[in-house]
Amino acid sequence: MAELEIKGLVTEVEGAQILKGVDLTIRSGETHALMGPNGSGKSTLAYAIMGHPSYEITGGSVTLDGQDVLAMAPEQRAAQGLFLAMQYPTEIPGVSLTNFLRTALNQVRGEETPVRQFMSELREHMTDLGMDEKFMQRNVNEGFSGGEKKRFEILQLALLTPRTLIITHYSRILQYVTPDYVHVLVDGRVAKSGGPELADELESTGYEQFREAPV
Ligand SMILES: Nc1ncnc2c1ncn2[C@@H]1O[C@H](COP(=O)(O)OP(=O)(O)OP(=O)(O)O)[C@@H](O)[C@H]1O
Ligand SMILES: [Mg+2]
């Protein structure tokens, strides 16, 4: 079982402190919903965990099974089971979906998956997700509709089988996925953690109660 432990994480973007000491522990198999108002730092946290170069870590630690994630290159983080589903998936002209996935899978598995085996795994997941096979030859996200881009993120998840997963904000999604834990991120800190009932509470109360709380 994997354990992702985030302790006192402080992150700066363009000189501004966005995360101000985030504490969060996630074990594989658990579903955590990270909620919070726009701009509270949810995407920043995801980028910081994955190693996006624009996000400077100025304090705290992130470990995966005790290993220092922050010392790893992004591809090592992926090989260790971390995956970031993009809020805004990027178009990659000239790179076919098939080549992209095969390269990613080989990197994450640390060995070449034979082409035939890869193609059969890919077909199976695409069928499950209701994705037409014509997408295989298309360039990554190029001209995809918004929904098709999101579906491709899910295809990557299905194929790469990451060990840990962080879900961001829409409470509507929680009608389909029941989280074990809900955390509310406000102004770069986890302001409250609880069970699934916290999501229902937020649905009716919103985030104002946290904004107005004295610091
Ligand atoms: N590259 C950047 N340059 C300047 N500011 C940035 C950058 N990236 C993030 N920020 C700022 O950091 C804050 C947190 O942004 P972040 O994207 O983490 O919010 P979020 O919680 O994911 O919000 P949303 O719910 O809207 O997706 C915002 O005020 C944002 O403008
Ligand atoms: Mg975001």
Side-chain angles (χ1 to χ4, degrees):
M1 191 184 67
E3 183 174 271
L4 181 71
E5 190 167 35
I6 301 160
K7 271 192 194 160
L9 192 67
V10 180
T11 302
E12 287 183 13
V13 187
E14 308 278 334
Q17 198 179 79
I18 307 295
L19 300 182
K20 299 171 181 172
V22 171
D23 296 297
L24 207 55
T25 301
I26 300 173
R27 292 170 202 87
S28 53
E30 295 174 350
T31 303
H32 290 247
L34 184 64
M35 305 178 75
N38 296 130
S40 58
K42 301 181 296 295
S43 292
T44 300
L45 176 62
Y47 284 130
I49 293 170
M50 267 334 270
H52 191 300
S54 302
Y55 297 76
E56 195 193 344
I57 315 292
T58 54
S61 63
V62 180
T63 57
L64 186 61
D65 290 338
Q67 287 186 347
D68 184 4
V69 168
L70 300 178
M72 298 176 197
E75 63 270 24
Q76 289 176 295
R77 302 182 198 205
Q80 292 300 316
L82 295 175
F83 178 84
L84 168 62
M86 295 289 176
Q87 184 166 18
Y88 303 107
T90 308
E91 301 193 359
I92 314 180
V95 178
S96 74
L97 182 146
T98 303
N99 280 337
F100 177 87
L101 287 177
R102 182 142 194 269
T103 304
L105 192 68
N106 287 341
Q107 176 72 38
V108 162
R109 288 188 179 164
E111 60 179 25
E112 289 264 314
T113 300
V115 178
R116 285 186 60 166
Q117 188 194 325
F118 167 74
M119 289 310 284
S120 93
E121 283 184 48
L122 178 57
R123 275 207 182 83
E124 196 180 314
H125 289 301
M126 288 181 84
T127 306
D128 283 350
L129 289 169
M131 279 181 85
D132 194 294
E133 286 199 9
K134 70 173 192 268
F135 280 97
M136 285 184 183
Q137 304 315 324
R138 286 183 65 175
N139 292 330
V140 170
N141 289 320
E142 201 176 25
F144 286 22
S145 75
E148 288 165 353
K149 286 180 181 173
K150 289 293 177 186
R151 203 166 287 236
F152 178 51
E153 295 293 306
I154 303 294
L155 176 62
Q156 293 173 57
L157 274 171
L159 199 65
L160 301 173
T161 56
R163 298 193 295 171
T164 60
L165 174 65
I166 298 177
I167 300 176
T168 61
H169 62 136
Y170 296 111
S171 45
R172 256 176 306 159
I173 213 168
L174 302 178
Q175 291 168 7
Y176 304 96
V177 179
T178 308
D180 303 301
Y181 302 94
V182 173
H183 312 278
V184 190
L185 192 68
V186 179
D187 193 21
R189 286 191 188 89
V190 177
K192 193 171 181 179
S193 292
E197 72 287 345
L198 180 55
D200 299 332
E201 186 189 319
L202 290 166
E203 182 75 52
S204 51
T205 61
Y207 297 112
E208 285 309 311
Q209 51 172 323
F210 299 107
R211 280 190 208 284
E212 284 160 16
V215 193

